[in-house]
Amino acid sequence: MTIKILVTLAYMGVVFLLGYKGWKETRQADDYLLAGRRINPFVMSMSYGATFVSTSAIIGFGGAAGLFGFPLLWLTFLTIFVGIFLAMIGFGKRTRRMGLALGCSTFPEFLGNRYQSRFIRSFAGLIIFLFIPVYAAAVLIGIARMLEVSLGLSYTLAILGITAILAVYVITGGLKAVMYTDAFQGSIMAVMMLILVVYTYSLLGGVVDAHQYLTDMAPLMPEKLKAGGMLGWTQGARVGSPLWLTIYTTIIYGVGIGVLAQPQLAVRYMTVRSDRELNRAVLYGGIFILLMTGVAFIVGALSNAVFHKLFGNISIAMAQGNMDKIIPTYIETVMPDWFSTLFLLAMFAAAMSTLSSQFHVGGTSLGHDLVAPESGSAMNASRIGVLVTIAAALIWALVLPPSVIARATAFFFGLCAAAFLPAYMLGLYWKGMTKTGAKVSMVGGFTASMLWLLFIHKKEAVAIGLCKALFGTTTLVSEAAPGSWIFLLQWVDPNVIALPLSMLLAVSVSLAGQAMEREHVKVCWSNC
Amino acid sequence: MEMALAFWMSIGSCLLCVGYGIWKWNDAGTPDKVTITVDKTE
């Protein structure tokens, strides 16, 4: 225990040093908001990756892999191919060039300037500010659960302690401090995940034997999961079953596509000097994300095999029914002591790197885009915004129920995709995209997503209870014939409906409406 | 079979990223023409 505390303190020391370096180098708003637009490609890619992958991915989705098995590897594929390759090349380069021409420092400002619309900027800022605390809370819960299991700290104390540390360097050092610490934290995460996967496979006698062992465990799948459609950890779920819909529409599709419109990631494209840095970041990012999501999902699934081999139990039973505790329990009971100490650091790193970026983007959305878009004190307004975002995330972290990490993350990713992706993507590539098209698409996508969530999607509709209060039924489709496609809609993620609708609205309204001023479009494309 | 495909596609996409990064290592693209701040809002 003493060693764990000492190592954690040493880690905190380095984080504070890097935070101090960021603070020393932050002199103007561009430094605070965009790290001075001169970030090294390694730092940029590690920061992007470490922000993207958090305890949500490792503990939350790793735990989901412990429950659902290898289908989550599709999410690994999407996070690399869509989240790194397409994102950096297709979105990153254009965002950087257009953002520079339009003088943008934040994602809402980018959308607002692209469409010459204060409404779009404020609307985007409002959505980010209101909902990123939910996502941040999911990350906080992940690391607090880890500390609860590893150090025996109380859950509430863990949450309060971590946010206090983060508040210091995010509020003072801005994006420079966030990115420097992210790169350090990302490096720790990469090394730990590599050790984790090698050790896990070695425990099970190699890749082939490990996968075969897990395949043979299919009859041990809990009855409740079998009833939901699960066949086995390497076999996946029956097509069209409730769990198949949850895995593929919420976890894989929602997050895999949602990554393209994440404001805290998009802003990083604008922190580098040229395309060269983004090209190099593709290389670093591809390796990093494979080490993160690939390892988390493989080890999550294989934890069943290891637990069964060592203790005769499957993962969810070892974690006492809480999916979010599968990975922490695995680390504590299976891995050597020295590893659990260092892995705790890696999880600290994963949580802090994502949280710092979430607090930063939430704060800049409030301070720079909502409250003081024209004022010269963007830096101070953003600092206050960061403080408010932190407080909101703390409240969410204390009230959200167990086993919520993966779902809350998927919720934010899906919401961003429905509200922002069509306006963002078409704004980058289509000169005919109009201000009205963007407005209708953003509001339409957001509204559709929220309505689906409140009245159709079972998990949230039941928890929130608005549908029950208004219509006397848990969801609007729960009384349809069981097994019918209408009945199954309650397991279909909001994004499956909201994103295509948002895209349709963007294209149809833009085609029907008046094009934007030629001069402005020319300015937008001046660097492209 | 499907899971094996997901496994190998994950590794393949990582190699694609590595290959692209090496191929374009020194490619800075066309220089930026405009670096001014334009803030046109309604």
Side-chain angles (χ1 to χ4, degrees), chain A residues 10-225:
Chain A
Y11 160 79
M12 290 298 176
V14 177
V15 168
F16 269 110
L17 270 178
L18 291 168
Y20 176 74
K21 176 178 160 64
W23 173 72
K24 284 281 281 180
E25 293 175 7
T26 297
R27 288 286 164 261
Q28 49 192 356
D30 225 23
D31 295 328
Y32 192 85
L33 299 169
L34 276 183
R37 298 184 195 260
R38 290 289 182 273
I39 281 288
N40 170 292
F42 176 76
V43 174
M44 185 271 178
S45 63
M46 293 302 274
S47 173
Y48 179 98
T51 298
F52 182 9
V53 176
S54 63
T55 44
S56 288
I58 298 169
I59 294 182
F61 287 77
L67 205 59
F68 303 128
F70 280 159
L72 265 83
L73 282 176
W74 284 114
L75 181 56
T76 299
F77 164 65
L78 286 179
T79 52
I80 301 170
F81 185 71
V82 177
I84 296 291
F85 190 75
L86 288 184
M88 297 262 185
I89 297 167
F91 286 69
K93 292 182 181 179
R94 286 236 160 179
T95 305
R96 190 196 68 77
R97 288 171 177 273
M98 212 177 263
L100 194 62
L102 295 171
C104 308
S105 308
T106 63
F107 183 70
E109 189 178 18
F110 178 86
L111 291 177
N113 286 6
R114 166 65 183 87
Y115 295 111
Q116 297 179 293
S117 167
R118 172 63 48 74
F119 170 80
I120 287 176
R121 181 173 173 185
S122 302
F123 185 71
L126 187 66
I127 291 179
I128 296 166
F129 169 69
L130 285 181
F131 293 101
I132 208 154
V134 181
Y135 176 25
V139 180
L140 257 179
I141 291 170
I143 185 62
R145 290 283 174 225
M146 188 81 205
L147 288 175
E148 196 184 16
V149 173
S150 295
L151 293 182
L153 283 180
S154 92
Y155 176 68
T156 313
L157 187 70
I159 283 182
L160 291 173
I162 294 163
T163 40
I165 294 163
L166 282 163
V168 173
Y169 76 82
V170 181
I171 292 172
T172 55
L175 197 57
K176 280 198 174 183
V178 169
M179 292 183 82
Y180 291 155
T181 50
D182 281 358
F184 168 63
Q185 290 158 338
S187 306
I188 295 176
M189 290 157 66
V191 174
M192 288 300 108
M193 294 305 274
L194 188 61
I195 296 171
L196 180 63
V197 74
V198 171
Y199 192 88
T200 300
Y201 274 126
S202 71
L203 277 177
L204 293 166
V207 176
V208 176
D209 287 352
H211 292 197
Q212 189 57 52
Y213 194 108
L214 193 61
T215 304
D216 296 342
M217 284 177 66
L220 298 175
M221 181 63 76
E223 285 306 318
K224 200 177 165 191
L225 292 176

Side-chain angles (χ1 to χ4, degrees), chain A residues 27 54 103 105 133 210 229 242-243 279 285 323 336 371 390 420 434 448 472 497 504:
Chain A
R27 288 286 164 261
S54 63
S105 308
L243 284 178
N279 290 333
M323 188 170 86
V371 177
I390 289 173
F420 304 142
T434 66
I497 308 299
L504 189 71

Side-chain angles (χ1 to χ4, degrees), chain A residues 97 102 248 279-280 527, chain B residues 2 26-27 30 33-34 38:
Chain A
R97 288 171 177 273
L102 295 171
Y248 283 90
N279 290 333
R280 293 178 183 183
N527 283 335
Chain B
E2 186 205 326
N26 276 325
D27 184 356
T30 50
K33 294 188 189 99
V34 180
V38 175

Side-chain angles (χ1 to χ4, degrees), chain A residues 118-416:
Chain A
R118 172 63 48 74
F119 170 80
I120 287 176
R121 181 173 173 185
S122 302
F123 185 71
L126 187 66
I127 291 179
I128 296 166
F129 169 69
L130 285 181
F131 293 101
I132 208 154
V134 181
Y135 176 25
V139 180
L140 257 179
I141 291 170
I143 185 62
R145 290 283 174 225
M146 188 81 205
L147 288 175
E148 196 184 16
V149 173
S150 295
L151 293 182
L153 283 180
S154 92
Y155 176 68
T156 313
L157 187 70
I159 283 182
L160 291 173
I162 294 163
T163 40
I165 294 163
L166 282 163
V168 173
Y169 76 82
V170 181
I171 292 172
T172 55
L175 197 57
K176 280 198 174 183
V178 169
M179 292 183 82
Y180 291 155
T181 50
D182 281 358
F184 168 63
Q185 290 158 338
S187 306
I188 295 176
M189 290 157 66
V191 174
M192 288 300 108
M193 294 305 274
L194 188 61
I195 296 171
L196 180 63
V197 74
V198 171
Y199 192 88
T200 300
Y201 274 126
S202 71
L203 277 177
L204 293 166
V207 176
V208 176
D209 287 352
H211 292 197
Q212 189 57 52
Y213 194 108
L214 193 61
T215 304
D216 296 342
M217 284 177 66
L220 298 175
M221 181 63 76
E223 285 306 318
K224 200 177 165 191
L225 292 176
K226 276 186 191 165
M230 284 306 299
L231 301 170
W233 288 279
T234 61
Q235 293 88 346
R238 205 172 49 251
V239 178
S241 62
L243 284 178
W244 184 89
L245 288 169
T246 301
I247 294 167
Y248 283 90
T249 68
T250 300
I251 298 179
I252 296 175
Y253 168 78
V255 176
I257 304 296
V259 62
L260 290 173
Q262 288 298 298
Q264 73 279 19
L265 298 181
V267 78
R268 275 158 176 70
Y269 306 139
M270 297 191 273
T271 61
V272 295
R273 193 195 299 255
S274 73
D275 288 358
R276 178 171 43 226
E277 284 75 15
L278 287 169
N279 290 333
R280 293 178 183 183
V282 171
L283 186 153
Y284 300 128
I287 298 171
F288 182 77
I289 297 294
L290 181 70
L291 279 176
M292 294 296 116
T293 60
V295 171
F297 304 160
I298 286 171
V299 171
L302 289 177
S303 65
N304 288 286
V306 177
F307 280 138
H308 185 258
K309 195 175 175 184
L310 300 179
F311 307 105
N313 246 333
I314 61 166
S315 303
I316 194 69
M318 291 293 294
Q320 293 152 346
N322 187 346
M323 188 170 86
D324 297 344
K325 283 190 174 178
I326 291 178
I327 296 290
T329 308
Y330 181 78
I331 301 298
E332 279 304 306
T333 54
V334 173
M335 300 300 287
D337 274 350
W338 65 266
F339 183 85
S340 69
T341 305
L342 293 175
F343 191 78
L344 180 68
L345 273 196
M347 290 305 95
F348 249 142
M352 290 177 71
S353 54
T354 304
L355 282 165
S356 58
S357 306
Q358 291 167 326
F359 293 155
H360 183 265
V361 81
T364 55
S365 293
L366 177 66
H368 184 62
D369 297 306
L370 274 169
V371 177
E374 299 302 326
S375 94
S377 60
M379 200 152 74
N380 289 335
S382 297
R383 282 179 166 144
I384 294 167
V386 171
L387 201 61
V388 178
T389 309
I390 289 173
L394 256 179
I395 294 167
W396 276 111
L398 293 171
V399 300
L400 284 174
S403 293
V404 76
I405 301 175
R407 190 167 288 278
T409 305
F411 160 73
F412 183 75
F413 273 60
L415 189 69
C416 284

